[in-house]
Amino acid sequence: VKSEGPKLVPFFKATCVYFVLWLPTSSPSWFSALIKCLPIFCLWVFLLAHGINFLVSHRSASRILAGLIFSAVGDAFLIWQEQGYFIHGLLMFAITHILYSSAFGMKPLDLKAGLLMGLVSSSCYAFLYSYLSGPFTYLVAVYIALIGFMGWRAVAGVQLCNDLWTWTKLSACIGAMLFMVSDLTIALNEFCFPVPYSRFIIMATYYAAQMLIALSAVESRDEEDFRKRS
């Protein structure tokens, strides 16, 4: 907290700016896109503050940074979702989940966690299916599979029973779960029925998720420092 907390101050300030201004979604503009993306830009700075050499030498950190870049582009597209850019935003976030899954890696495998996430993802899609039509029937299925896979890889990294977990792995796990809550709320609100306070729920869980996933990128730095002290 002492070492990473100060680097996150700009992110918290930018998030406060977004919620204080609360620009209307009915009048999309480049300014509203900037305000919405600003917290994610601050997370770019947070990772870059660890040094270019760190990002180059640790693939997981560089992939999370790439995921944050695609997330910002997706956020910008969703500002104009009523103008037909919803699918573009969906594609950008699908790429984000692929990058995050790659960053979390395939070890440990933890098939039980994979089965659980598969059941959760299948249940969500089964509920949404009757509300979907046209290309969204397939696009939402692929997207849910990708975010479910990302959630599996994040959960699998937390081996609580074996005492092999770290605070950064736990951060990735909680972040992935919050990302799923945010996207499920979007899906319910977009395709099914109006969700009360949907915008607040979506953005609060989304920003928290991105922050926690960005924090998980410093896992490699923690291991490196531990080896040096040993």
Side-chain angles (χ1 to χ4, degrees):
V1 174
K2 289 181 180 179
S3 61
E4 303 301 333
K7 299 186 186 77
L8 286 170
V9 169
F11 165 79
F12 289 119
K13 289 182 177 180
T15 303
C16 288
V17 168
Y18 172 83
F19 284 109
V20 168
L21 291 182
W22 203 247
L23 298 172
T25 56
S26 57
S27 55
S29 66
W30 285 108
F31 179 70
S32 59
L34 173 63
I35 295 301
K36 183 182 182 184
C37 295
L38 192 58
I40 307 303
F41 295 158
C42 292
L43 292 178
W44 297 3
V45 175
F46 166 74
L47 290 180
L48 290 170
H50 290 83
I52 298 298
N53 291 334
F54 171 72
L55 293 173
V56 171
S57 59
H58 297 92
R59 291 182 179 180
S60 61
S62 60
R63 288 168 184 170
I64 287 175
L65 176 60
L68 289 168
I69 292 172
F70 278 98
S71 293
V73 177
D75 281 332
F77 276 130
L78 291 180
I79 287 289
W80 286 277
Q81 62 178 310
E82 299 300 328
Q83 285 71 36
Y85 288 96
F86 182 80
I87 292 179
H88 298 72
L90 197 70
L91 175 61
M92 292 300 103
F93 280 107
I95 296 172
T96 294
H97 296 317
I98 293 172
L99 288 165
Y100 286 168
S101 299
S102 178
F104 298 149
M106 291 301 297
K107 294 180 180 179
L109 193 59
D110 198 346
L111 292 177
K112 290 182 180 179
L115 178 60
L116 176 61
M117 293 307 300
L119 289 173
V120 171
S121 299
S122 299
S123 299
C124 290
Y125 182 69
F127 178 82
L128 293 170
Y129 181 78
S130 60
Y131 295 94
L132 302 174
S133 61
F136 285 110
T137 304
Y138 310 102
L139 291 174
V140 171
V142 173
Y143 187 86
I144 288 177
L146 289 174
I147 194 172
F149 184 82
M150 186 272 289
W152 170 31
R153 298 321 311 147
V155 171
V158 183
Q159 299 289 301
L160 293 174
C161 296
N162 299 324
D163 290 331
L164 297 177
W165 67 280
T166 62
W167 70 269
T168 44
K169 282 185 169 60
L170 187 61
S171 175
C173 176
I174 298 173
M177 295 301 100
L178 288 174
F179 217 135
M180 294 179 74
V181 170
S182 179
D183 280 357
L184 179 60
T185 306
I186 290 176
L188 292 174
N189 197 62
E190 183 73 19
F191 302 113
C192 304
F193 47 78
V195 177
Y197 308 107
S198 59
R199 186 181 172 191
F200 177 80
I201 295 170
I202 291 165
M203 297 311 299
T205 53
Y206 170 69
Y207 285 141
Q210 293 284 38
M211 180 196 70
L212 291 168
I213 291 173
L215 272 171
S216 74
V218 303
E219 174 72 24
S220 301
R221 171 64 63 84
D222 290 344
E223 292 174 351
E224 187 178 272
D225 291 344
F226 177 78
R227 284 196 298 269
K228 287 179 180 179
R229 289 195 298 269
S230 301

